[in-house]
Amino acid sequence: MISLRQHAISLVAVFLALALGLFLGSGFVGDRVNSLTGASRDRIGDLETERDQLNEQLNAANSFDAAIAPRLITGALRGQSVLVVTSPNAAETDVDAVKESLSTAGAQFAGQVALTDDLVADENAEQLRTIVDQTIPAGTTLRAELTDSGGRAGDLLGALLLHPEGQAAADPGDIRLGLEALREGGFVAAADNAVSAADLVVVVTGDPLGDDAGARGQLMARLAAAMAARAQGGVLVGRSGSASGGSPIAVVRADPALGNAVSTVDNVDQQTGLITTVLALADEAEGQTGAYGTGAGAQAITVGAGPGPAT
């Protein structure tokens, strides 16, 4: 049986529950919660407004760059031939934009060589080494210090497809046979008849590489540097963020020897990066190398700008 005391305690608990319900229903706690929620909503609204304003400024800046680009780069590469080399993760839109910028700059397009995953993944290094050794142009010696796959492949491609000022280009027959051997081995994809020897090279990569990319960044960085050393100059370009982690641009900027061999641009997916690519190629033809963009290790936002990346 329930005692009188237990019954009294139960009644007190019921009355306390009713009192608490009336208190909450009065709006005191509800108003407090709504007040906090309202403040959060205001903060979110402020952030959304700030975001929209920044997007408007970015769009305006890109529009300005697109409008001013022809004035800045027209004729900058007149008289120069440029080879385009692409990594497997290069965005087609970036490659097309680079080609269009080269055309605006007056460059002669020497063709495009697309590197395959088999080359960049370095899974068939021995087969690649054999092809490289068997397709060296007559009268050419590859650099003995380049023993890695990227350096060796880049040195061969450079010997076949590039030449410094004052030196003769490789024989068209050697170019055809070398590219055919690399293509049959699954290391490059190229239209042989459309590729000729060039003065300058631009190597187009893509987004930042992930943690599972292995040594792909190292290989591409060394390949780009080796090719540029065979030419009047070269530029390695990537999308925004491509100066981070183990991506090729990050590797080049972390190694002074590579950084002195090839220029880098880390925002080719932006109008500023396209302009910079052309201006950097023009500087390379004059023997000047630099690191440009907004990522880590950039010396300036673009050629001729003050030191340090833009904030």
Side-chain angles (χ1 to χ4, degrees):
M1 286 184 63
I2 300 176
S3 66
L4 181 60
R5 176 175 175 165
Q6 290 173 323
H7 185 66
I9 291 175
S10 299
L11 289 176
V12 170
V14 170
F15 283 118
L16 285 174
L18 288 173
L20 180 59
L22 291 174
F23 177 72
L24 291 175
S26 68
F28 176 80
V29 174
D31 289 344
R32 182 62 175 166
V33 172
N34 288 334
S35 174
L36 293 173
T37 305
S40 300
R41 282 200 300 266
D42 291 342
R43 178 57 179 159
I44 292 173
D46 291 341
L47 291 174
E48 289 176 341
T49 300
E50 184 177 355
R51 178 204 61 196
D52 293 341
Q53 291 173 344
L54 290 174
N55 283 334
E56 290 175 1
Q57 293 175 19
L58 177 60
N59 291 334
N62 284 333
S63 297
F64 174 81
D65 289 341
I68 202 68
R71 294 176 180 268
L72 293 174
I73 66 175
T74 296
L77 295 174
R78 185 173 290 115
Q80 301 280 2
S81 56
V82 182
L83 174 72
V84 175
V85 177
T86 59
S87 70
N89 71 331
E92 186 175 346
T93 53
D94 293 344
V95 177
D96 291 342
V98 166
K99 291 179 182 178
E100 184 177 350
S101 296
L102 295 175
S103 177
T104 301
Q108 177 186 346
F109 178 56
Q112 176 180 339
V113 174
L115 308 179
T116 65
D117 277 314
D118 284 346
L119 172 59
V120 177
D122 200 20
E123 295 178 350
N124 300 298
E126 196 58 40
Q127 180 188 0
L128 177 60
R129 178 180 294 276
T130 299
I131 292 175
V132 169
D133 291 340
Q134 293 177 349
T135 53
I136 301 173
T140 301
T141 302
L142 298 188
R143 293 162 58 189
E145 68 271 22
L146 298 177
T147 58
D148 60 285
S149 297
R152 294 274 297 175
D155 204 22
L156 173 66
L157 287 170
L160 289 170
L161 300 171
L162 300 162
H163 61 93
E165 188 174 8
Q167 293 190 18
D171 182 80
D174 289 336
I175 294 176
R176 184 180 67 257
L177 290 175
L179 288 179
E180 184 178 348
L182 289 168
R183 187 180 64 182
E184 289 180 353
F187 298 112
V188 304
D192 295 353
N193 294 332
V195 179
S196 58
D199 305 312
L200 300 163
V201 60
V202 54
V203 180
V204 185
T205 63
D207 289 313
L209 295 179
D211 295 335
D212 59 346
R216 287 173 177 255
Q218 288 277 351
L219 188 146
M220 280 301 305
R222 295 182 180 279
L223 182 145
M227 290 195 73
R230 288 280 182 178
Q232 293 183 27
V235 179
L236 172 65
V237 304
R239 313 200 92 208
S240 298
S242 58
S244 62
S247 300
I249 289 179
V251 174
V252 168
R253 291 180 179 177
D255 187 331
L258 299 178
N260 289 330
V262 63
S263 291
T264 54
V265 178
D266 63 40
N267 57 345
V268 77
D269 53 329
Q270 302 292 329
Q271 282 292 334
T272 304
L274 292 170
I275 295 171
T276 304
T277 298
V278 169
L279 298 181
L281 280 172
D283 262 17
E284 282 278 335
E286 299 296 326
Q288 300 178 42
T289 303
Y292 308 105
T294 57
Q299 299 167 344
I301 181 64
T302 190
V303 178
T311 56

